[in-house]
Amino acid sequence: MDVENRAPARVTEVDVPAGHPTRRGTPMPKYALIVDFQGGVDATPMTEWDPADVQAHLDYYGALNDELRARGELAGGLVLEGPDLAKVVRSDGRSGTSVQEGPFAEFTEWLAGFQVVDVADEARALEIAARVSAVPGPGGVPSQQPIQVRRILDDGPDDAASMLEWLQAADGR
């Protein structure tokens, strides 16, 4: 198969197996494992990798996702289009809407995609993120790509006081 023209694997919502803790009435926390285009230990752009290395990289993600899906830990995920095709929308809600091309961040800052895992605790989310970080790069060497792990809130702020509290906590104040 021509690696350059291969469609990215899509991760979709999955059924939670019987016996999974979320089936027993106690929802487990969900975490987003966020991947960007930072190269890890080898900064060689993937466009310059040997096609076999690209395939190994994709196969690793596929096998990991299959394993997480079978364990009932993969709640979803997406591979995103590049920001060169993104639009930024601004509106005052009344008179007009502005649509601009972009954003045009540095390549390493582009959000490539994310997985959502439904796990017992943060420790398990970090274990999975470590496996994502170890995705093979050129020559099969684990890439050590940085993976951002963020808990998905069950409920966001719903009034001014809770919004201020959330913003202060997020800002570390």
Side-chain angles (χ1 to χ4, degrees), residues 73-91:
E73 294 179 317
L74 185 64
L78 298 169
V79 177
L80 302 175
E81 212 169 43
D84 55 321
L85 300 172
K87 307 288 186 274
V88 177
V89 177
R90 289 191 172 94
S91 174

Side-chain angles (χ1 to χ4, degrees), residues 7-158:
R10 296 288 180 210
V11 181
T12 57
E13 287 292 318
V14 295
D15 290 326
V16 177
H20 189 270
T22 58
R23 291 278 184 173
R24 292 190 291 249
T26 306
M28 298 192 324
K30 289 187 174 100
Y31 291 86
L33 310 182
I34 302 167
V35 179
D36 58 25
F37 283 93
Q38 294 183 61
V41 295
D42 187 335
T44 305
M46 190 178 280
T47 56
E48 297 176 16
W49 291 13
D50 182 276
D53 289 336
V54 174
Q55 191 62 53
H57 182 91
L58 296 172
D59 291 346
Y60 180 94
Y61 271 122
L64 178 59
N65 285 342
D66 287 346
E67 177 188 328
L68 295 173
R69 192 176 296 110
R71 292 175 55 105
E73 294 179 317
L74 185 64
L78 298 169
V79 177
L80 302 175
E81 212 169 43
D84 55 321
L85 300 172
K87 307 288 186 274
V88 177
V89 177
R90 289 191 172 94
S91 174
D92 65 8
R94 294 183 307 267
S95 62
T97 300
S98 165
V99 178
Q100 298 174 327
E101 303 290 319
F104 299 106
E106 293 294 322
F107 181 74
T108 58
E109 297 171 346
W110 291 6
L111 178 62
F114 59 90
Q115 294 161 292
V116 176
V117 293
D118 188 2
V119 293
D121 54 31
E122 182 182 73
R124 178 63 182 144
L126 296 174
E127 288 175 20
I128 295 168
R131 293 187 59 200
V132 173
S133 177
V135 64
V141 175
S143 69
Q144 299 180 44
Q145 180 179 22
I147 306 300
Q148 187 180 144
V149 178
R150 296 178 65 184
R151 184 167 180 175
I152 298 171
L153 299 176
D154 295 326
D155 294 306
D158 60 359

